[in-house]
Amino acid sequence: MLVKVNSIANRGIQTFGVDVEINVSSRGLPGLEIVGLPDKSVDESSDRVKTAFQNCGLKVPGRKVMINLAPADVHKEGSFYDLPIAVGLICVILNVKVPDKALFFGELSFDGSLRHTKGSFLLALYAKESGYDKVFVPAQCVKEASSVKGISVYGVDTLDSIIKHLMGQKPISPFLDTAPLESSQDFDKFQGDDNLDMSEIIGQEYAKRALEICAAGGHNLIMVGPPGSGKTMMAKALVSVLPELNDEESIEVTKIYSLVGKIPPDCGLFKKRPFRSPHHTISYAGMIGGGNIPMPGEITLAHRGVLFMDEFSEFTRSVLESLRQPLESGKITISRSRYSVDFPSKFMLVASSNPCPCGHYGDPRKECTCSERKIRSYQAKLSGPILDRIDLHVNVMPVDRNKLFNGSFGEKETSKDILNRVLKAREIQIKRLGNENIFFNCEMSNSQVEKYCKLKEDSKRLLIQATERFGLSARTHFKLMKVARTIADIDGADNIDVNHIAEAVQYRSKIFL
């Protein structure tokens, strides 16, 4: 007897259909065998399914059972084939029909219950795009899968519940999500959101202005200064002035976190922008992604959000240089012998660094103890091509001690005030760039810069003077125009004026004194 059950397979964040074919032969030695290029986790499904059947009072047919995962020339990995295999066997044993236009997905426990399984959101997206109207997932995944509207999501608790559903004894009701579709506190904890407000930062008005420009235009930023000057605190506060993800961005980010299993149970779409802060000891593969079966790294987990690299100069050279391609193209390609995978990586890079090993080079309060050779060697860790790809360069000096005791926290500008300006600037950008299929000024190509960043003669003259005086590259020339366009958007100006160009040029000053 032959039964076909529909499921999926993932290659990166791309999803395609898989037919789980179960055939019970009248000949051959009893056993359960899986073919179709399964990896170890798929191959072990046979043991999980058989044990779950025994503990639920079911018996696997005492004949040769062959399970084929088609197409057979594509590698399969993951534990989510447990449920489709179990459903196929149930239909064989009880002689019932597999539901039409339905996808099955989930990992079984030995007791017959279903575990939270990564990738449910990708399953639901594929179902909607491919014309399926029902998906069966573990009960803990229904919130994630139901984020995709237009399909019926059925939460399966145990094998017993799916058996009763298939036999029509106690049908499983489709999940109805009545709660607002937004990220929960679990997401906030997962992202490490410390809820810092800009008003908590004393002084540093120049750096906070740079953060506002970054948030408004999606630009990259590096801050260099002595330890304790507030670089890390300001980077964390940046999250508080970033708008929530729009619908398209939310789907992009949720797909990534669903693939790696980082969406907590009973949570739906990501609405807040990711904030990733890898330690400087991270490996090359940990940063860009990798593995025998390529999985996303930190630059992809920061997609549409912030990648904060504290102690920027302490990262290995290979990790720093690996940022070149994604900073330019907004994606990373990981190639293996059989295939290659593209992961999106459009992130805001926010980096902070000390100016020397001891950290006090240029500090007006403390004397630097490093030799000139050590200082040059330390600063040389950041190559010219990497710094050239960072839009805003900011020197951060220690705060005046008198300001630490003025008790004026309540008088400072709050994150809400800054966020209102950021939202207005982004609305202007979306209106201007909507037909270009991009969201922010930082994403403009050179031809789009020429189209949307028209300069008057005095502004053009100042930009040419700055380019010649500081020896700026062509890439930096266009980045200055993008930053100036963002500053103009914050001011609500239709044209880029001289003062906008002048402020943009200030952020290309020498960061190592």
Side-chain angles (χ1 to χ4, degrees):
M1 182 177 179
L2 175 64
V3 171
K4 290 186 179 181
V5 181
N6 297 313
S7 190
I8 64 164
N10 298 317
R11 179 175 289 180
I13 59 173
Q14 303 300 317
T15 305
F16 55 92
V18 169
D19 293 332
V20 181
E21 302 174 334
I22 297 97
N23 185 71
V24 180
S25 304
S26 58
R27 297 181 181 181
L29 294 174
L32 196 154
E33 184 177 351
I34 301 176
V35 297
L37 283 184
D39 75 345
K40 187 66 173 175
S41 62
V42 179
D43 208 31
E44 291 174 347
S45 288
S46 59
D47 295 321
R48 288 193 294 272
V49 170
K50 285 188 290 186
T51 305
F53 270 45
Q54 291 172 2
N55 290 328
C56 291
L58 293 172
K59 187 177 180 181
V60 176
R63 289 176 285 175
K64 186 173 183 60
V65 179
M66 290 293 298
I67 299 169
N68 179 41
L69 306 178
D73 61 341
V74 178
H75 190 82
K76 318 297 188 311
E77 63 93 18
S79 58
F80 49 79
Y81 294 108
D82 292 3
L83 182 59
I85 290 172
V87 168
L89 287 173
I90 291 169
C91 292
V92 170
I93 296 170
L94 302 178
N95 194 26
V96 295
K97 185 181 177 182
V98 180
D100 294 328
K101 294 185 178 181
L103 292 173
F104 293 84
F105 179 96
E107 177 186 340
L108 276 172
S109 297
F110 276 1
D111 62 359
S113 62
L114 277 93
R115 298 178 180 272
H116 179 264
T117 310
K118 64 182 182 182
S120 299
F121 185 76
L122 295 172
L123 171 85
L125 274 178
Y126 174 79
K128 183 176 182 179
E129 293 167 358
S130 303
Y132 293 91
D133 53 21
K134 296 184 285 290
V135 295
F136 290 80
V137 298
Q140 295 182 58
C141 300
V142 291
K143 178 78 172 180
E144 179 181 336
S146 65
S147 300
V148 180
K149 301 304 180 184
I151 58 172
S152 298
V153 180
Y154 295 82
V156 182
D157 292 310
T158 62
L159 271 182
D160 184 59
S161 63
I162 193 66
I163 290 171
K164 291 179 179 179
H165 177 85
L166 294 172
M167 295 184 68
Q169 296 175 352
K170 187 178 179 182
I172 301 173
S173 300
F175 177 73
L176 297 175
D177 188 8
T178 56
L181 197 59
E182 57 186 15
S183 50
S184 69
Q185 293 181 354
D186 292 329
F187 274 149
D188 296 340
K189 294 175 182 177
F190 171 72
Q191 295 180 86
D193 186 1
D194 294 328
N195 295 318
L196 286 172
D197 194 277
M198 283 290 186
S199 61
E200 298 179 49
I201 301 171
I202 302 174
Q204 306 297 6
E205 302 304 325
Y206 179 64
K208 286 193 285 187
R209 171 65 173 176
L211 289 172
E212 179 181 343
I213 296 170
C214 287
H219 302 288
N220 303 316
L221 167 72
I222 182 170
M223 297 179 284
V224 176
S229 54
K231 302 184 297 295
T232 302
M233 185 178 185
M234 285 188 285
K236 291 182 177 180
L238 174 61
V239 179
S240 65
V241 298
L242 290 175
E244 288 191 342
L245 298 164
N246 61 35
D247 292 341
E248 184 177 339
E249 292 174 318
S250 182
I251 290 173
E252 291 176 6
V253 174
T254 307
K255 285 170 67 176
I256 295 166
Y257 280 81
S258 179
L259 175 66
V260 297
K262 296 294 187 180
I263 297 182
D266 302 322
C267 287
L269 283 172
F270 256 77
K271 299 301 287 185
K272 289 193 174 181
R273 296 186 180 274
F275 181 86
R276 305 294 300 181
S277 181
H279 193 262
H280 62 260
T281 57
I282 190 172
S283 67
Y284 179 85
M287 179 62 76
I288 70 166
N292 291 330
I293 300 170
M295 294 297 285
E298 288 293 333
I299 62 172
T300 300
L301 294 174
H303 180 62
R304 296 299 182 186
V306 178
L307 177 66
F308 175 49
M309 298 179 70
D310 201 4
E311 307 297 343
F312 198 45
S313 299
E314 298 295 338
F315 285 82
T316 63
R317 190 171 187 85
S318 62
V319 168
L320 292 177
E321 297 305 315
S322 71
L323 297 174
R324 290 192 192 185
Q325 179 194 347
L327 282 174
E328 284 294 300
S329 64
K331 68 176 182 179
I332 185 73
T333 302
I334 302 174
S335 299
R336 294 293 178 263
S337 58
R338 293 183 179 178
Y339 59 89
S340 63
V341 175
D342 290 334
F343 289 117
S345 55
K346 291 182 179 179
F347 56 87
M348 287 172 52
L349 174 63
V350 177
S352 68
S353 176
N354 295 325
C356 66
C358 78
H360 297 293
Y361 180 62
D363 191 336
R365 297 183 196 163
K366 296 185 179 180
E367 183 179 355
C368 176
T369 59
C370 304
S371 66
E372 186 176 345
R373 181 179 178 182
K374 282 186 176 181
I375 294 172
R376 285 201 306 267
S377 176
Y378 188 81
Q379 295 179 357
K381 291 182 179 180
L382 302 183
S383 67
I386 286 297
L387 293 176
D388 203 38
R389 285 166 166 80
I390 299 178
D391 307 52
L392 289 85
H393 300 181
V394 176
N395 285 306
V396 182
M397 289 291 105
V399 180
D400 186 349
R401 291 172 183 171
N402 293 327
K403 292 183 179 181
L404 297 176
F405 305 101
N406 63 5
S408 60
F409 281 92
E411 301 174 7
K412 298 183 181 298
E413 196 170 39
T414 65
S415 292
K416 186 177 180 181
D417 299 328
I418 299 173
L419 178 59
N420 289 333
R421 292 197 298 269
V422 169
L423 289 172
K424 290 178 181 178
R426 290 209 170 187
E427 286 176 6
I428 294 172
Q429 293 170 56
I430 292 172
K431 185 177 180 180
R432 180 194 305 125
L433 304 171
N435 295 330
E436 304 287 352
N437 199 29
I438 57 177
F439 299 116
F440 314 122
N441 288 332
C442 69
E443 297 178 296
M444 287 190 291
S445 64
N446 290 350
S447 60
Q448 290 166 342
V449 170
E450 295 287 353
K451 181 179 179 181
Y452 296 111
C453 301
K454 301 290 186 182
L455 299 180
K456 297 179 180 178
E457 284 303 317
D458 53 353
S459 300
K460 188 181 296 184
R461 201 162 40 245
L462 177 59
L463 181 58
I464 292 173
Q465 291 173 358
T467 302
E468 292 176 350
R469 179 177 178 182
F470 297 113
L472 303 178
S473 66
R475 178 190 288 116
T476 304
H477 170 85
F478 284 103
K479 284 188 176 295
L480 281 174
M481 294 180 70
K482 295 178 189 178
V483 173
R485 179 68 266 176
T486 299
I487 296 171
D489 291 339
I490 293 174
D491 291 346
D494 293 330
N495 299 314
I496 300 175
D497 296 326
V498 174
N499 61 307
H500 301 140
I501 292 290
E503 184 175 358
V505 170
Q506 290 180 24
Y507 297 114
R508 298 300 301 195
S509 60
K510 189 177 180 182
I511 51 174
F512 291 118
L513 303 175

